[in-house]
Amino acid sequence: MAFELAHAVVYVTDMSQMVDFYTQTLGFKVADRGPLGQEPTEIVFLTKNPLHHHQLAFMNTRKDAGPSNSLNHLAFRVDSLDDVKTALRAVTEDPSASGVKPVTHGNAWSVYFKDPEGNGVEIFCDSPFHVQQPQAKGWDPQMDIQPLTSWTKETFESENEFGPIEKFYEQQTQNE
Ligand SMILES: [Fe+2]
């Protein structure tokens, strides 16, 4: 039985700034919104995947500031390197995002950043490789897919378990 991580609910201070950031900068849609329990508590549901009613929900009940003390980041997988680069550009151009950093774990090409309330977010696509984790190195977003793939291979091929991602997924499925 597989569990698919489907959504996270996040406490926020400034609902409109957070909804603007996730809708305008990252392209999420507001699926639903409404009062929750006693007003003025509001919940806003957001999605960027038609097969999930919501992937994120915000509740405007946050009292503290700064990053959450228990959640390092939320990660979203996208379909292609171009999608990662599009997200990277969008968050770079939005001054309410901070700490924008391209990182590769060898098995993925990612952009990490903080949203306007300091929550860590990662947007990534799979690379063609599997490699034992943890791994983290900066990558050059100017690189196209082919040179980036070659560079990723050269950078991680001496690490444990390096190989094609398909083979890794196949093994994982067999071990279910
Ligand atoms: Fe991650």
Side-chain angles (χ1 to χ4, degrees):
M1 176 172 58
F3 280 17
E4 179 183 19
L5 179 61
H7 64 259
V9 181
V10 178
Y11 297 123
V12 308
T13 308
D14 187 336
M15 182 68 92
S16 54
Q17 185 187 34
M18 285 289 276
V19 171
D20 283 356
F21 177 76
Y22 278 83
T23 55
Q24 291 168 22
T25 300
L26 297 179
F28 280 74
K29 287 195 171 74
V30 173
D32 271 316
R33 67 191 304 161
L36 193 68
Q38 287 193 330
E39 288 197 61
T41 303
E42 186 190 23
I43 186 161
V44 178
F45 301 95
L46 297 123
T47 190
K48 209 169 151 59
N49 180 330
L51 300 181
H52 288 272
H53 170 266
H54 61 283
Q55 294 171 288
L56 282 176
F58 296 147
M59 287 168 62
N60 61 338
T61 53
R62 186 171 179 184
K63 302 278 189 294
D64 58 347
S68 161
N69 62 9
S70 58
L71 182 70
N72 184 273
H73 63 277
L74 297 165
F76 296 96
R77 176 191 264 142
V78 295
D79 288 333
S80 67
L81 180 64
D82 281 348
D83 289 348
V84 176
K85 290 183 178 181
T86 300
L88 173 59
R89 265 195 303 277
V91 295
T92 302
E93 285 165 12
D94 187 332
S96 68
S98 58
V100 179
K101 214 161 65 170
V103 172
T104 175
H105 302 296
N107 61 1
W109 296 306
S110 308
V111 53
Y112 281 79
F113 57 93
K114 301 271 193 214
D115 76 14
E117 295 198 356
N119 303 297
V121 181
E122 173 186 7
I123 296 175
F124 74 95
C125 66
D126 280 354
S127 84
F129 311 114
H130 165 70
V131 59
Q132 189 181 50
Q133 298 298 310
Q135 307 280 352
K137 284 200 163 38
W139 60 280
D140 179 1
Q142 305 297 328
M143 277 180 144
D144 287 331
I145 183 93
Q146 268 151 10
L148 182 61
T149 302
S150 307
W151 173 85
T152 304
K153 181 169 184 282
E154 283 158 28
T155 305
F156 294 97
E157 67 188 342
S158 60
E159 301 289 338
N160 284 342
E161 299 178 19
F162 184 88
I165 190 99
E166 293 82 11
K167 206 173 142 209
F168 172 72
Y169 285 147
E170 208 180 286
Q171 280 166 355
Q172 295 279 101
T173 310
Q174 280 164 9
N175 291 342
E176 275 290 288

